[in-house]
Amino acid sequence: MAAIPRDGRVFVAGHAGLVGSAVVERLQEDGFGTILTATRSELDLRDQAAVNRWFAAERPEYVFLVAGTVGGIMANSTRPAEFLYDNMLIHGTVVEASKQVDVRKLLYLGSSCIYPRHAQQPITEDQLLTGPLEPTNEAYALAKITGIKLCEAYRAQYGCNFISAMPTNLYGPGDNFDPVGGHLVPMLMRRFHEAKEAGEPKVEVWGTGSPRRELLHVSDLADACLFLMDHYEGPGFVNVGTGEDIAIRDLAEMLRDIVHPGAELVFDTTKPDGMPRKVLDVSKLHDIGWRHRTGLQEGLLETYRWFVEQDPASVRGLSISAP
Ligand code: GDP
C-alpha cells in the first residue's frame, strides 16, 4: 500500500483541539504541503449544507476526522445532549461530504469509551457492542459507535476508503485545563500547580483512586494516525494505546511528585470513578507495525513544562482565571 502523497490536499477537521493540533504538527514535520483547516466560525461542522459547500470549494483528498465535542468524566455525564448531538452530526456531515467529493482516504477517530463497562481487559476490538456501556460516558460513546459504524457502512455500500482508530485516554500540550470539564491529567496537573502556588499542602483527587487508566501522549497518537493513513486499509477499526495502565492513585502521586512534592492527596469519593478499568489490547496495532514512544513519566514532565511556560490566557480552560 502506498503512503498518502505528501503533496496531497489534506483536511484536518478539528485542528484547534488537543488531537487536531498534534496531527497538524505531525503532518508539517513530514512535509505535507497543503494542510487545510477551518475554524469554528468559518465552518460549523454540524451543518451539512455548509460542510458540503466547503468540501466542494476546497476539494480535500485526505481527511483526518478528529473533531468533536469532548471532555472529562464530569463534562461527559452532565452534558449528554451536547455530546450526543454535536458528535453525531459532526461525523455525519464530514463522512457524507467526503463521499460526495470522492475523498481518497479518511481516518475517523473514535474513543476507548465505546467499549462495554465490563469488557475483558485488556480490551480487544471485537468486544464492541457486547455489553452495556459505562453510564458516565454513554452519550459520547454512542455517538462514537455510530461514527465507526458510519465509516464501515460507507465502505460496504459505497466502497469508500474510510478507516477508524480508537485511541485510549490522551494527555499532552494543548489539553483543556478547565477545572470542571477537563480530563484527568490536565485537571489534576492544574490543581497541584495552583495548590503549590497557594502554599496549600492538601490536593483533592476525584473518586476512590482505584480505577485504572491507560494514558497516551497526544504526539504518539498523531504519529499513529499518520501511520495508519499510510499503512492500514482494512475494514475493522484499530485500538491505539500503550497497552499499559496505572491506578488513578499512582498517577496522582506521580503528578504530585512532579508538580507539588510532599502534598497530601485527599480523595473525594462523592465524585464518580467511572469505568473501573480501561486498557486497550494493542496487538493489532503492533502487528501492523506501530508502537508508542513516550513513557508516562517523561510525557507528564514535558506536559508540565509546557503548561508552566504558557501565558495563562492562551491555555484552554485557563482563560477564565487569566488576569
Ligand atoms: P474517563 O476516562 O472517561 O472516565 O474520563 P477522565 O479522563 O475524566 O478520567 C476520569 C477518572 O479519573 C475517574 O476515575 C475519576 O474519578 C478520576 N479522577 C481523579 N481526579 C480527577 C479530576 O480531577 N478530574 C477528572 N476528570 N477525573 C479525575
Side-chain angles (χ1 to χ4, degrees):
M1 181 192 328
I4 64 172
R6 275 37 186 169
D7 60 355
R9 295 174 68 75
V10 182
F11 175 37
V12 180
H15 73 284
L18 171 68
V19 176
S21 50
V23 168
V24 168
E25 206 178 301
R26 182 69 193 84
L27 295 176
Q28 284 167 340
E29 272 170 23
D30 232 64
F32 279 82
T34 311
I35 302 170
L36 306 167
T37 57
T39 62
R40 244 169 240 227
S41 56
E42 285 163 352
L43 177 62
D44 181 352
L45 289 172
R46 298 168 304 176
D47 179 343
Q48 183 75 68
V51 173
N52 288 351
R53 277 195 301 276
W54 191 90
F55 268 68
E58 300 293 338
R59 294 266 150 195
E61 297 167 296
Y62 300 90
V63 174
F64 288 83
L65 177 41
V66 299
T69 292
V70 299
I73 192 164
M74 203 54 91
N76 249 304
S77 50
T78 55
R79 292 162 45 207
E82 278 169 82
F83 277 75
L84 194 47
Y85 179 82
D86 289 359
N87 290 309
M88 278 198 319
L89 289 178
I90 289 170
H91 66 234
T93 62
V94 175
V95 163
E96 170 60 22
S98 296
K99 178 207 146 217
Q100 287 187 16
V101 303
D102 292 324
V103 159
R104 289 162 180 247
K105 194 166 189 177
L106 173 148
L107 175 109
Y108 174 69
L109 208 62
S111 159
S112 61
C113 72
I114 58 164
Y115 292 112
R117 174 173 164 84
H118 295 298
Q120 271 187 1
Q121 308 284 335
I123 313 174
T124 44
E125 285 90 351
D126 61 6
Q127 291 188 70
L128 180 67
L129 294 173
T130 55
L133 297 166
E134 156 60 37
T136 54
N137 56 32
E138 188 182 74
Y140 183 67
L142 283 170
K144 287 285 161 185
I145 292 169
T146 61
I148 302 162
K149 293 292 175 190
L150 194 72
C151 290
E152 290 177 1
Y154 272 63
R155 171 181 288 274
Q157 187 176 341
Y158 304 125
C160 296
N161 190 8
F162 295 172
I163 60 172
S164 302
M166 292 314 112
T168 193
N169 285 43
L170 303 168
Y171 71 98
D175 212 337
N176 177 6
F177 283 81
D178 185 89
V180 181
H183 281 106
L184 167 65
V185 170
M187 279 191 67
L188 277 182
M189 193 174 275
R190 174 184 182 158
R191 220 175 292 130
F192 279 118
H193 180 77
E194 289 179 348
K196 184 179 72 176
E197 301 274 285
E200 169 58 52
K202 293 187 179 182
V203 179
E204 184 187 296
V205 180
W206 289 2
T208 59
S210 62
R212 301 183 68 87
R213 292 290 181 274
E214 174 189 14
L215 290 156
L216 179 70
H217 193 281
V218 70
S219 64
D220 280 339
L221 174 67
D223 188 61
C225 288
L226 179 56
F227 182 86
L228 288 170
M229 276 294 242
D230 281 339
H231 302 291
Y232 182 72
E233 215 148 73
F237 58 90
V238 185
N239 285 341
V240 181
T242 64
E244 295 153 18
D245 62 349
I246 181 169
I248 302 286
R249 175 187 297 274
D250 295 336
L251 175 74
E253 285 176 359
M254 219 166 171
L255 281 166
R256 187 256 326 266
D257 295 346
I258 292 172
V259 180
H260 188 7
E264 183 193 337
L265 309 184
V266 181
F267 290 89
D268 177 359
T269 52
T270 64
K271 295 287 195 310
D273 267 347
M275 279 278 271
R277 190 175 179 206
K278 216 175 358 169
V279 57
L280 295 177
D281 182 313
V282 283
S283 337
K284 185 170 177 180
L285 184 63
H286 286 178
D287 289 348
I288 304 168
W290 189 90
R291 271 171 198 274
H292 76 286
R293 277 193 283 252
T294 315
L296 185 56
Q297 171 84 20
E298 172 201 349
L300 293 175
L301 252 172
E302 184 236 357
T303 305
Y304 185 56
R305 276 196 209 108
W306 175 88
F307 176 72
V308 292
E309 279 166 12
Q310 302 307 299
D311 169 1
S314 67
V315 178
R316 283 190 305 141
L318 279 188
S319 46
I320 40 167
S321 59

